[in-house]
């Protein structure tokens, strides 16, 4: 039976995964062409996955339908990430798309999957989501309506693939193999999309930025792999919410490296997110 209590080890691992997630998103935001940078990151993750796959056992057949559904959802997610960062600041859209998703995961999990949570866990999820959404409302950066719409659409996609992959990873019996197959199969469709919309010649631009691509690829692969592993040992909704503490790291990166505006309200919201994470740990 999946436990309802986070161990200290899982909690620490998820904070590390959150840092990695914020880092690869910052790499995409900092790229001159957001879609091409996203393709570079996912392509690098696919190459890393291909190298590691011979050393793991394949996932159980019961997880294959979930793996196939997730591949489609992941492609849509990456396209929406690139589109959102093209029109809006990371400090605005990242909190909105990542912070709305845990509420959707918790609600859908409770209604359709029977993933009941204790009251304290709901309180922690609520605090994290409130803090995340407060970051968005406090934002004054570039974005506006277009960035908001894209972020909310992606929140639905994130919630959907989280439930799909959380279930698939449990059924796989091998979350590491499930993760590697997911990233290996997700990168070619995005490259095909770019070739179809921009021409095959556009793929030549991927030769540049090799080091950021490898760093981002390793970051997204390890981050999501750790999250899927954690979902086999704790409730999916709890891990999904805890993963969104990445917003705190993203806010620091946005202010210190990308030079976006960070004010007192955002700092207070970050404190609310941290409080929610502590409540989840104690639930």
């Amino acid at each position: 039976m999946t436990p309802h209590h986070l161990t200290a080890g899982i909690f620490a691992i998820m904070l590390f995964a959150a840092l990695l997630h914020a880092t690869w998103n910052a790499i995409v935001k900092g790229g001159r062409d957001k879609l091409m940078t996203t393709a570079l990151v996912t392509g690098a993750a696919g190459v890393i996955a291909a190298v590691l796959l011979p050393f793991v056992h394949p996932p159980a057949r019961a997880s294959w339908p979930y793996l196939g559904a997730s591949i489609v959802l992941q492609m849509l997610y990456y396209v929406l990430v690139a589109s959102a960062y093209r029109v809006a600041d990371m400090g605005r859209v990242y909190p909105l798309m990542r912070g709305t998703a845990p509420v959707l995961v918790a609600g859908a999990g409770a209604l359709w999957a029977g993933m009941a949570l204790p009251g304290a866990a709901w309180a922690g999820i609520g605090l994290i989501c409130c803090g995340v959404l407060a970051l968005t409302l406090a934002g004054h950066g570039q974005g506006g309506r277009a960035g908001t719409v894209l972020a909310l659409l992606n929140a639905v996609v994130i919630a959907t693939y989280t439930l799909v992959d959380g279930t698939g990873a449990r059924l796989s019996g091998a979350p590491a193999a499930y993760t590697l197959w997911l990233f290996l199969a997700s990168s070619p469709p995005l490259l095909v999309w770019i070739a179809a919309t921009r021409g095959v010649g556009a793929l030549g631009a991927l030769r540049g930025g090799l080091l950021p691509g490898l760093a981002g690829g390793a970051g997204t692969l390890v981050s999501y792999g750790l999250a899927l592993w954690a979902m086999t040992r704790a409730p999916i909704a709890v891990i999904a919410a805890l993963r969104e503490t990445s917003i705190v790291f993203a806010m620091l990166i946005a202010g210190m490296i990308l030079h976006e505006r960070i004010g007192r309200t955002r700092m207070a919201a970050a404190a609310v997110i941290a409080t929610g994470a502590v409540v989840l740990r104690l639930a």
Side-chain angles (χ1 to χ4, degrees), residues 158-225:
I158 291 167
T160 305
Y161 77 58
T162 297
L163 287 170
V164 168
D165 284 336
T167 304
R170 291 179 178 184
L171 292 173
S172 72
Y178 183 96
T179 304
L180 294 176
W181 275 110
L182 176 61
F183 278 92
L184 177 62
S186 296
S187 55
L190 185 57
L191 297 177
V192 171
W193 170 269
I194 291 174
T197 56
R198 299 191 179 187
V200 177
L203 297 178
L206 295 177
R207 289 193 295 266
L210 180 60
L211 289 180
L214 287 173
T220 186
L221 180 63
V222 174
S223 174
Y224 200 49

Side-chain angles (χ1 to χ4, degrees), residues 99-167:
T100 309
V103 177
L104 299 176
V105 170
L111 288 174
W112 291 299
M115 300 175 185
L117 296 173
W122 277 104
I125 291 171
L127 281 171
I128 289 175
C129 293
C130 286
V132 166
L133 295 178
L135 284 175
T136 303
L137 295 175
H140 301 285
Q142 175 188 353
R145 184 175 181 180
T148 298
V149 170
L150 288 169
L152 289 176
L153 284 174
N154 218 11
V156 176
V157 174
I158 291 167
T160 305
Y161 77 58
T162 297
L163 287 170
V164 168
D165 284 336
T167 304

